[in-house]
Amino acid sequence: MNRIEADYTKHLWNTKHISEPDEEWFISKVFKTRRQILPIDEQKRIIEKKKEYFWEYIPETELIETANWEYVIRQKYIEWKTLAQTDISTLSPETLASLIDLIKKYLKYYREQWWELDLTWYQYYEWNPSNLRRKVLNFLKISQNFLTSTNIMIWDDWKVYMVDVCESSDNRLQWKIKNFCAKPFIKRTIKNLEILLENKLSSKKTSYEIYETLSD
């Protein structure tokens, strides 16, 4: 454990330790090992590039440089549910539209920047499978891709957020394979979400028409 990690309440995650929210309602994240840390200038470039694509979905985020070329990721705390914990059918039309927009922007980012994102991110299993079995299970989740994401969160105002915007220096070969294999599933997800959105809008319109009729 290094000096930076000792300052935080630890939460198990894939690459980072995460603190509790502070008095300004920000959390702090530090990489678990030094080998995972990208240089701060490179990390800043990645964040700024992601903001060009996902600016409305990224919480306020800044990098605080510390000793030994390390840094703390300080980010506005987003409370409530991850997408993996959310029943998609309960989302409002506005939230569904934002989620569809985020996924389409991901495809644009992937196509134009050639930079893969981990589609499902960290997956929690109560029965604690072996590392190899966990990787296999996570890979199989590409059929649900973003819908099992722990990186996309729905706040209590029903706004969509993408909370993990910093990259690690981990080997990305597995991500490349998952991104390639997930493409047709992502398009199917978008189609299913668009159908759900259309049905909700139609139902909302019908309910409004019934209300207007009863009011006359």
Side-chain angles (χ1 to χ4, degrees), residues 7-29:
D7 294 335
Y8 299 115
T9 302
K10 311 300 186 303
H11 290 274
L12 287 177
W13 209 244
N14 192 27
T15 59
K16 303 178 188 74
H17 295 288
I18 305 176
S19 76
E20 298 291 346
D22 61 19
E23 64 278 0
E24 296 179 325
W25 217 237
F26 277 80
I27 58 173
S28 296
K29 309 177 186 180

PDB file of all heavy atoms in Angstrom, residues 7-29:
ATOM      1  N   ASP A   7      -4.672   7.114   2.485  1.00  0.00           N
ATOM      2  CA  ASP A   7      -5.544   8.220   2.848  1.00  0.00           C
ATOM      3  C   ASP A   7      -7.014   7.937   2.559  1.00  0.00           C
ATOM      4  O   ASP A   7      -7.874   8.748   2.865  1.00  0.00           O
ATOM      5  CB  ASP A   7      -5.134   9.488   2.094  1.00  0.00           C
ATOM      6  CG  ASP A   7      -3.764   9.984   2.518  1.00  0.00           C
ATOM      7  OD1 ASP A   7      -3.371   9.665   3.654  1.00  0.00           O
ATOM      8  OD2 ASP A   7      -3.104  10.659   1.723  1.00  0.00           O
ATOM      9  N   TYR A   8      -7.324   6.801   1.923  1.00  0.00           N
ATOM     10  CA  TYR A   8      -8.685   6.586   1.456  1.00  0.00           C
ATOM     11  C   TYR A   8      -9.326   5.333   2.042  1.00  0.00           C
ATOM     12  O   TYR A   8      -8.668   4.363   2.375  1.00  0.00           O
ATOM     13  CB  TYR A   8      -8.696   6.464  -0.079  1.00  0.00           C
ATOM     14  CG  TYR A   8      -8.185   7.699  -0.749  1.00  0.00           C
ATOM     15  CD1 TYR A   8      -7.018   7.655  -1.496  1.00  0.00           C
ATOM     16  CD2 TYR A   8      -8.852   8.914  -0.598  1.00  0.00           C
ATOM     17  CE1 TYR A   8      -6.532   8.806  -2.080  1.00  0.00           C
ATOM     18  CE2 TYR A   8      -8.367  10.054  -1.189  1.00  0.00           C
ATOM     19  CZ  TYR A   8      -7.213  10.011  -1.926  1.00  0.00           C
ATOM     20  OH  TYR A   8      -6.723  11.136  -2.509  1.00  0.00           O
ATOM     21  N   THR A   9     -10.650   5.410   2.139  1.00  0.00           N
ATOM     22  CA  THR A   9     -11.433   4.218   2.433  1.00  0.00           C
ATOM     23  C   THR A   9     -11.432   3.364   1.178  1.00  0.00           C
ATOM     24  O   THR A   9     -11.732   3.840   0.088  1.00  0.00           O
ATOM     25  CB  THR A   9     -12.878   4.596   2.785  1.00  0.00           C
ATOM     26  OG1 THR A   9     -12.847   5.479   3.904  1.00  0.00           O
ATOM     27  CG2 THR A   9     -13.692   3.358   3.108  1.00  0.00           C
ATOM     28  N   LYS A  10     -11.108   2.099   1.293  1.00  0.00           N
ATOM     29  CA  LYS A  10     -10.932   1.259   0.116  1.00  0.00           C
ATOM     30  C   LYS A  10     -12.241   0.602  -0.320  1.00  0.00           C
ATOM     31  O   LYS A  10     -13.017   0.143   0.504  1.00  0.00           O
ATOM     32  CB  LYS A  10      -9.893   0.151   0.378  1.00  0.00           C
ATOM     33  CG  LYS A  10      -8.604   0.638   0.995  1.00  0.00           C
ATOM     34  CD  LYS A  10      -7.872   1.652   0.132  1.00  0.00           C
ATOM     35  CE  LYS A  10      -6.518   2.009   0.715  1.00  0.00           C
ATOM     36  NZ  LYS A  10      -6.572   2.526   2.066  1.00  0.00           N
ATOM     37  N   HIS A  11     -12.441   0.569  -1.604  1.00  0.00           N
ATOM     38  CA  HIS A  11     -13.531  -0.195  -2.189  1.00  0.00           C
ATOM     39  C   HIS A  11     -12.911  -1.084  -3.268  1.00  0.00           C
ATOM     40  O   HIS A  11     -12.119  -0.615  -4.074  1.00  0.00           O
ATOM     41  CB  HIS A  11     -14.580   0.722  -2.832  1.00  0.00           C
ATOM     42  CG  HIS A  11     -15.363   1.504  -1.834  1.00  0.00           C
ATOM     43  ND1 HIS A  11     -16.486   1.008  -1.218  1.00  0.00           N
ATOM     44  CD2 HIS A  11     -15.180   2.747  -1.326  1.00  0.00           C
ATOM     45  CE1 HIS A  11     -16.976   1.917  -0.395  1.00  0.00           C
ATOM     46  NE2 HIS A  11     -16.192   2.972  -0.435  1.00  0.00           N
ATOM     47  N   LEU A  12     -13.264  -2.348  -3.281  1.00  0.00           N
ATOM     48  CA  LEU A  12     -12.736  -3.216  -4.317  1.00  0.00           C
ATOM     49  C   LEU A  12     -13.282  -2.794  -5.669  1.00  0.00           C
ATOM     50  O   LEU A  12     -14.480  -2.653  -5.844  1.00  0.00           O
ATOM     51  CB  LEU A  12     -13.117  -4.672  -4.031  1.00  0.00           C
ATOM     52  CG  LEU A  12     -12.365  -5.322  -2.877  1.00  0.00           C
ATOM     53  CD1 LEU A  12     -12.886  -6.737  -2.667  1.00  0.00           C
ATOM     54  CD2 LEU A  12     -10.874  -5.347  -3.155  1.00  0.00           C
ATOM     55  N   TRP A  13     -12.399  -2.609  -6.596  1.00  0.00           N
ATOM     56  CA  TRP A  13     -12.776  -2.291  -7.975  1.00  0.00           C
ATOM     57  C   TRP A  13     -11.738  -2.946  -8.851  1.00  0.00           C
ATOM     58  O   TRP A  13     -10.847  -3.629  -8.375  1.00  0.00           O
ATOM     59  CB  TRP A  13     -12.842  -0.773  -8.173  1.00  0.00           C
ATOM     60  CG  TRP A  13     -13.830  -0.367  -9.227  1.00  0.00           C
ATOM     61  CD1 TRP A  13     -13.560   0.250 -10.411  1.00  0.00           C
ATOM     62  CD2 TRP A  13     -15.246  -0.534  -9.195  1.00  0.00           C
ATOM     63  NE1 TRP A  13     -14.728   0.465 -11.105  1.00  0.00           N
ATOM     64  CE2 TRP A  13     -15.764  -0.018 -10.382  1.00  0.00           C
ATOM     65  CE3 TRP A  13     -16.119  -1.109  -8.265  1.00  0.00           C
ATOM     66  CZ2 TRP A  13     -17.122  -0.029 -10.675  1.00  0.00           C
ATOM     67  CZ3 TRP A  13     -17.473  -1.118  -8.554  1.00  0.00           C
ATOM     68  CH2 TRP A  13     -17.959  -0.584  -9.738  1.00  0.00           C
ATOM     69  N   ASN A  14     -11.820  -2.765 -10.125  1.00  0.00           N
ATOM     70  CA  ASN A  14     -10.909  -3.476 -11.000  1.00  0.00           C
ATOM     71  C   ASN A  14      -9.493  -2.903 -10.952  1.00  0.00           C
ATOM     72  O   ASN A  14      -8.530  -3.631 -10.765  1.00  0.00           O
ATOM     73  CB  ASN A  14     -11.442  -3.438 -12.433  1.00  0.00           C
ATOM     74  CG  ASN A  14     -10.706  -4.403 -13.332  1.00  0.00           C
ATOM     75  OD1 ASN A  14     -10.193  -5.404 -12.864  1.00  0.00           O
ATOM     76  ND2 ASN A  14     -10.641  -4.107 -14.604  1.00  0.00           N
ATOM     77  N   THR A  15      -9.357  -1.605 -11.108  1.00  0.00           N
ATOM     78  CA  THR A  15      -8.021  -1.010 -11.157  1.00  0.00           C
ATOM     79  C   THR A  15      -7.801   0.084 -10.124  1.00  0.00           C
ATOM     80  O   THR A  15      -6.679   0.535  -9.969  1.00  0.00           O
ATOM     81  CB  THR A  15      -7.746  -0.405 -12.552  1.00  0.00           C
ATOM     82  OG1 THR A  15      -8.735   0.600 -12.824  1.00  0.00           O
ATOM     83  CG2 THR A  15      -7.798  -1.473 -13.632  1.00  0.00           C
ATOM     84  N   LYS A  16      -8.844   0.511  -9.430  1.00  0.00           N
ATOM     85  CA  LYS A  16      -8.709   1.686  -8.572  1.00  0.00           C
ATOM     86  C   LYS A  16      -9.279   1.458  -7.170  1.00  0.00           C
ATOM     87  O   LYS A  16     -10.181   0.649  -6.968  1.00  0.00           O
ATOM     88  CB  LYS A  16      -9.430   2.891  -9.195  1.00  0.00           C
ATOM     89  CG  LYS A  16      -8.958   3.264 -10.590  1.00  0.00           C
ATOM     90  CD  LYS A  16      -9.758   4.439 -11.129  1.00  0.00           C
ATOM     91  CE  LYS A  16      -9.430   4.695 -12.589  1.00  0.00           C
ATOM     92  NZ  LYS A  16     -10.045   3.678 -13.459  1.00  0.00           N
ATOM     93  N   HIS A  17      -8.725   2.221  -6.215  1.00  0.00           N
ATOM     94  CA  HIS A  17      -9.330   2.380  -4.901  1.00  0.00           C
ATOM     95  C   HIS A  17     -10.161   3.656  -4.946  1.00  0.00           C
ATOM     96  O   HIS A  17      -9.745   4.655  -5.542  1.00  0.00           O
ATOM     97  CB  HIS A  17      -8.258   2.509  -3.816  1.00  0.00           C
ATOM     98  CG  HIS A  17      -7.435   1.276  -3.640  1.00  0.00           C
ATOM     99  ND1 HIS A  17      -7.923   0.127  -3.062  1.00  0.00           N
ATOM    100  CD2 HIS A  17      -6.140   1.011  -3.960  1.00  0.00           C
ATOM    101  CE1 HIS A  17      -6.964  -0.793  -3.021  1.00  0.00           C
ATOM    102  NE2 HIS A  17      -5.881  -0.292  -3.561  1.00  0.00           N
ATOM    103  N   ILE A  18     -11.329   3.641  -4.298  1.00  0.00           N
ATOM    104  CA  ILE A  18     -12.245   4.774  -4.366  1.00  0.00           C
ATOM    105  C   ILE A  18     -12.635   5.203  -2.956  1.00  0.00           C
ATOM    106  O   ILE A  18     -12.991   4.369  -2.119  1.00  0.00           O
ATOM    107  CB  ILE A  18     -13.510   4.419  -5.180  1.00  0.00           C
ATOM    108  CG1 ILE A  18     -13.111   3.909  -6.562  1.00  0.00           C
ATOM    109  CG2 ILE A  18     -14.432   5.629  -5.302  1.00  0.00           C
ATOM    110  CD1 ILE A  18     -14.277   3.452  -7.413  1.00  0.00           C
ATOM    111  N   SER A  19     -12.598   6.501  -2.704  1.00  0.00           N
ATOM    112  CA  SER A  19     -12.922   7.026  -1.379  1.00  0.00           C
ATOM    113  C   SER A  19     -14.420   7.242  -1.226  1.00  0.00           C
ATOM    114  O   SER A  19     -15.189   7.203  -2.185  1.00  0.00           O
ATOM    115  CB  SER A  19     -12.205   8.357  -1.160  1.00  0.00           C
ATOM    116  OG  SER A  19     -12.860   9.390  -1.880  1.00  0.00           O
ATOM    117  N   GLU A  20     -14.828   7.518   0.001  1.00  0.00           N
ATOM    118  CA  GLU A  20     -16.177   7.993   0.277  1.00  0.00           C
ATOM    119  C   GLU A  20     -16.274   9.457  -0.179  1.00  0.00           C
ATOM    120  O   GLU A  20     -15.254  10.149  -0.295  1.00  0.00           O
ATOM    121  CB  GLU A  20     -16.484   7.884   1.771  1.00  0.00           C
ATOM    122  CG  GLU A  20     -16.440   6.465   2.324  1.00  0.00           C
ATOM    123  CD  GLU A  20     -17.578   5.605   1.817  1.00  0.00           C
ATOM    124  OE1 GLU A  20     -18.545   6.160   1.252  1.00  0.00           O
ATOM    125  OE2 GLU A  20     -17.499   4.371   1.981  1.00  0.00           O
ATOM    126  N   PRO A  21     -17.484   9.964  -0.434  1.00  0.00           N
ATOM    127  CA  PRO A  21     -17.621  11.381  -0.808  1.00  0.00           C
ATOM    128  C   PRO A  21     -17.127  12.301   0.309  1.00  0.00           C
ATOM    129  O   PRO A  21     -17.329  12.016   1.499  1.00  0.00           O
ATOM    130  CB  PRO A  21     -19.135  11.551  -1.019  1.00  0.00           C
ATOM    131  CG  PRO A  21     -19.660  10.172  -1.221  1.00  0.00           C
ATOM    132  CD  PRO A  21     -18.770   9.250  -0.442  1.00  0.00           C
ATOM    133  N   ASP A  22     -16.471  13.404  -0.069  1.00  0.00           N
ATOM    134  CA  ASP A  22     -16.017  14.363   0.930  1.00  0.00           C
ATOM    135  C   ASP A  22     -17.110  15.406   1.183  1.00  0.00           C
ATOM    136  O   ASP A  22     -18.243  15.262   0.704  1.00  0.00           O
ATOM    137  CB  ASP A  22     -14.702  15.020   0.485  1.00  0.00           C
ATOM    138  CG  ASP A  22     -14.837  15.802  -0.823  1.00  0.00           C
ATOM    139  OD1 ASP A  22     -15.975  16.152  -1.217  1.00  0.00           O
ATOM    140  OD2 ASP A  22     -13.805  16.063  -1.465  1.00  0.00           O
ATOM    141  N   GLU A  23     -16.762  16.453   1.911  1.00  0.00           N
ATOM    142  CA  GLU A  23     -17.761  17.454   2.288  1.00  0.00           C
ATOM    143  C   GLU A  23     -18.272  18.245   1.082  1.00  0.00           C
ATOM    144  O   GLU A  23     -19.349  18.857   1.137  1.00  0.00           O
ATOM    145  CB  GLU A  23     -17.186  18.415   3.342  1.00  0.00           C
ATOM    146  CG  GLU A  23     -16.023  19.267   2.891  1.00  0.00           C
ATOM    147  CD  GLU A  23     -14.690  18.517   2.958  1.00  0.00           C
ATOM    148  OE1 GLU A  23     -14.701  17.328   3.362  1.00  0.00           O
ATOM    149  OE2 GLU A  23     -13.661  19.129   2.623  1.00  0.00           O
ATOM    150  N   GLU A  24     -17.530  18.232  -0.026  1.00  0.00           N
ATOM    151  CA  GLU A  24     -17.972  18.914  -1.248  1.00  0.00           C
ATOM    152  C   GLU A  24     -18.649  17.943  -2.216  1.00  0.00           C
ATOM    153  O   GLU A  24     -18.945  18.284  -3.335  1.00  0.00           O
ATOM    154  CB  GLU A  24     -16.777  19.590  -1.927  1.00  0.00           C
ATOM    155  CG  GLU A  24     -16.164  20.702  -1.086  1.00  0.00           C
ATOM    156  CD  GLU A  24     -14.969  21.334  -1.784  1.00  0.00           C
ATOM    157  OE1 GLU A  24     -14.225  20.620  -2.486  1.00  0.00           O
ATOM    158  OE2 GLU A  24     -14.788  22.551  -1.619  1.00  0.00           O
ATOM    159  N   TRP A  25     -18.860  16.724  -1.725  1.00  0.00           N
ATOM    160  CA  TRP A  25     -19.550  15.682  -2.478  1.00  0.00           C
ATOM    161  C   TRP A  25     -18.733  15.224  -3.698  1.00  0.00           C
ATOM    162  O   TRP A  25     -19.265  14.937  -4.761  1.00  0.00           O
ATOM    163  CB  TRP A  25     -20.951  16.130  -2.898  1.00  0.00           C
ATOM    164  CG  TRP A  25     -21.970  15.019  -2.841  1.00  0.00           C
ATOM    165  CD1 TRP A  25     -22.756  14.582  -3.864  1.00  0.00           C
ATOM    166  CD2 TRP A  25     -22.292  14.188  -1.717  1.00  0.00           C
ATOM    167  NE1 TRP A  25     -23.556  13.540  -3.445  1.00  0.00           N
ATOM    168  CE2 TRP A  25     -23.294  13.277  -2.133  1.00  0.00           C
ATOM    169  CE3 TRP A  25     -21.835  14.130  -0.398  1.00  0.00           C
ATOM    170  CZ2 TRP A  25     -23.839  12.323  -1.268  1.00  0.00           C
ATOM    171  CZ3 TRP A  25     -22.376  13.178   0.454  1.00  0.00           C
ATOM    172  CH2 TRP A  25     -23.361  12.300   0.010  1.00  0.00           C
ATOM    173  N   PHE A  26     -17.406  15.155  -3.502  1.00  0.00           N
ATOM    174  CA  PHE A  26     -16.494  14.601  -4.501  1.00  0.00           C
ATOM    175  C   PHE A  26     -15.898  13.311  -3.946  1.00  0.00           C
ATOM    176  O   PHE A  26     -15.675  13.194  -2.732  1.00  0.00           O
ATOM    177  CB  PHE A  26     -15.359  15.575  -4.819  1.00  0.00           C
ATOM    178  CG  PHE A  26     -15.722  16.625  -5.840  1.00  0.00           C
ATOM    179  CD1 PHE A  26     -16.458  17.745  -5.466  1.00  0.00           C
ATOM    180  CD2 PHE A  26     -15.330  16.492  -7.161  1.00  0.00           C
ATOM    181  CE1 PHE A  26     -16.798  18.710  -6.387  1.00  0.00           C
ATOM    182  CE2 PHE A  26     -15.661  17.457  -8.097  1.00  0.00           C
ATOM    183  CZ  PHE A  26     -16.398  18.574  -7.710  1.00  0.00           C
ATOM    184  N   ILE A  27     -15.633  12.350  -4.828  1.00  0.00           N
ATOM    185  CA  ILE A  27     -14.889  11.160  -4.457  1.00  0.00           C
ATOM    186  C   ILE A  27     -13.487  11.246  -5.052  1.00  0.00           C
ATOM    187  O   ILE A  27     -13.259  11.999  -6.003  1.00  0.00           O
ATOM    188  CB  ILE A  27     -15.574   9.860  -4.942  1.00  0.00           C
ATOM    189  CG1 ILE A  27     -15.745   9.878  -6.473  1.00  0.00           C
ATOM    190  CG2 ILE A  27     -16.901   9.660  -4.231  1.00  0.00           C
ATOM    191  CD1 ILE A  27     -16.250   8.566  -7.045  1.00  0.00           C
ATOM    192  N   SER A  28     -12.561  10.491  -4.485  1.00  0.00           N
ATOM    193  CA  SER A  28     -11.191  10.429  -4.992  1.00  0.00           C
ATOM    194  C   SER A  28     -10.851   9.003  -5.368  1.00  0.00           C
ATOM    195  O   SER A  28     -11.240   8.063  -4.669  1.00  0.00           O
ATOM    196  CB  SER A  28     -10.204  10.932  -3.936  1.00  0.00           C
ATOM    197  OG  SER A  28     -10.438  12.299  -3.648  1.00  0.00           O
ATOM    198  N   LYS A  29     -10.158   8.848  -6.479  1.00  0.00           N
ATOM    199  CA  LYS A  29      -9.773   7.529  -6.966  1.00  0.00           C
ATOM    200  C   LYS A  29      -8.266   7.495  -7.167  1.00  0.00           C
ATOM    201  O   LYS A  29      -7.675   8.449  -7.676  1.00  0.00           O
ATOM    202  CB  LYS A  29     -10.453   7.207  -8.304  1.00  0.00           C
ATOM    203  CG  LYS A  29     -11.963   7.412  -8.325  1.00  0.00           C
ATOM    204  CD  LYS A  29     -12.520   7.134  -9.725  1.00  0.00           C
ATOM    205  CE  LYS A  29     -13.994   7.471  -9.823  1.00  0.00           C
ATOM    206  NZ  LYS A  29     -14.534   7.197 -11.188  1.00  0.00           N
TER     207      LYS A  29
END
